[in-house]
Amino acid sequence: AVRPQGGSSTPCRIQSMMRAIIVGGSSGMGKGAAKHIVKELGGEVLLCSRSEEKLKAAAEYVGGPEGAVKTQARRLVLSVIG
């Protein structure tokens, strides 16, 4: 449950499925945020990083109920043009 702002102690429920794209999701805060979204909020995440091996390990770490959450590892290379 999420607590609304304004000091109210009455929890409210998130009505829709949370989905997130997390760049840098193979380690640190990104990996932790992904696990929170999946485990605590029941959401879905798409992890993005430069290292495919680290992404696979992060996807296993994040986990989630089988069939209920889709955690995908994708290799992403960003480059600057100019």
Side-chain angles (χ1 to χ4, degrees):
V2 174
R3 303 259 180 227
Q5 293 193 14
S8 173
S9 62
T10 306
C12 61
R13 298 248 177 227
I14 297 174
Q15 296 298 320
S16 62
M17 169 68 77
M18 175 180 279
R19 293 185 174 140
I21 298 171
I22 301 178
V23 178
S26 64
S27 63
M29 289 175 47
K31 187 167 83 171
K35 186 164 187 146
H36 177 75
I37 290 168
V38 170
K39 297 288 189 179
E40 301 298 322
L41 303 178
E44 298 178 354
V45 295
L46 174 61
L47 302 177
C48 301
S49 178
R50 293 177 292 172
S51 170
E52 202 163 345
E53 285 182 22
K54 287 174 70 177
L55 279 171
K56 288 178 184 176
E60 285 187 29
Y61 169 80
V62 170
E66 188 172 336
V69 177
K70 297 175 183 99
T71 304
Q72 300 177 5
R74 297 279 188 233
R75 188 167 186 270
L76 178 67
V77 177
L78 301 174
S79 61
V80 177
I81 300 174

